[in-house]
């Protein structure tokens, strides 16, 4: 590990899906893992499995995020790694049956997906910035946010989701530039269609049809593949300010 073993990684949305796979990956690498999620049962169970720490955190609430970090720091130390996976994915058209898109649903999606990622990233960066540098490049930390291919080719009904993920893409480079003098790198991953709990809850024929849309490999992505990429970003010092599509070359159709 670039920061050495036994450093602290915090994963938001870490109780399931991509976040849980990332938490497991880091634990297997010898890191101390902090999990932020609103899923208390799932988060506590995973933290116990990994020997990590769980905190019930609403990423959209800066005070909840601050309390989460305070508890993690007290229990296992300040984070060197912050991975943002918390998010929601509503399906609502701009106009549907003569009614406009629900404004509260749009705002909630932005609040959780985009502002939630910003809250965790900015507060984690504040903690990283006062830590001692590690390694020949003076590295202090790494932040990885989760975007989506919907940021580039959002489908019908994804206007709120695509806007939130497009915002994550847009803040990647300026955040990396903001934090460069502090030795903190920032990247984002834009996954395609992955076998997350939401997708796995669909009928098998629907899952197969989704996987068949991927040029190669023609299947759903595995959460472990996302986790492997995140681990590589953490290790590769020259990856900074970049958004990486992880999608098997898919370009989403309108519907």
């Amino acid at each position: 590990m670039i920061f050495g073993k036994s450093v602290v990684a915090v994963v938001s949305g870490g109780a399931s899906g991509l976040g849980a796979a990332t938490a497991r990956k880091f634990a297997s690498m010898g890191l101390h893992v902090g999990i932020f999620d609103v899923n208390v049962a799932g988060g506590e169970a995973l933290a116990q499995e990994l020997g990590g720490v769980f905190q019930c955190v609403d990423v959209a609430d800066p005070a909840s995020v601050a309390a989460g970090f305070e508890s993690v720091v007290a229990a296992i130390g300040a984070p060197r790694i912050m991975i943002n996976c918390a998010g929601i994915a509503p399906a609502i058209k701009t106009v549907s049956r003569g009614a406009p898109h629900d404004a509260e649903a749009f705002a909630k999606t932005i609040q959780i997906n985009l502002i939630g990622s910003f809250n965790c990233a900015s507060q984690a960066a504040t903690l990283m910035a006062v830590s001692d540098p590690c390694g020949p490049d003076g590295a202090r930390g790494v932040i990885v946010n989760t975007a989506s291919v919907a940021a580039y080719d959002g489908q019908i009904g994804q206007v709120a989701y695509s806007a939130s993920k497009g915002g994550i893409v847009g803040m990647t480079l300026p955040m990396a530039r903001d934090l460069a003098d502090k030795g903190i790198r920032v990247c984002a991953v834009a996954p395609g269609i992955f076998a997350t709990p939401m997708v796995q809850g669909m009928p098998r024929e629907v899952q197969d049809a989704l996987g068949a849309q991927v040029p190669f490999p023609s299947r759903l992505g595995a959460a472990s593949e996302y986790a492997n990429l995140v681990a590589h970003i953490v290790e590769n010092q020259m990856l900074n300010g970049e958004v990486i599509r992880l999608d098997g070359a898919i370009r989403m159709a309108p519907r």
Side-chain angles (χ1 to χ4, degrees), residues 186-207:
V186 182
C187 284
V189 177
I193 309 174
F194 273 67
T196 59
M198 180 180 69
V199 173
Q200 289 174 319
M202 298 176 180
R204 170 49 58 185
E205 59 270 22
V206 175
Q207 294 185 50

Side-chain angles (χ1 to χ4, degrees), residues 6-67:
S6 299
V7 301
V8 176
V10 173
V11 183
S12 75
S16 64
L18 303 180
T22 302
R24 287 192 171 96
K25 177 69 176 181
F26 285 154
S28 74
M29 297 165 66
L31 277 64
H32 297 301
V33 179
I35 297 169
F36 288 176
D37 210 298
V38 292
N39 178 355
V40 175
E44 288 181 344
L46 184 60
Q48 184 174 13
E49 172 193 330
L50 303 180
V53 174
F54 169 74
Q55 292 297 319
C56 182
V57 171
D58 175 3
V59 297
D61 179 2
S64 180
V65 172

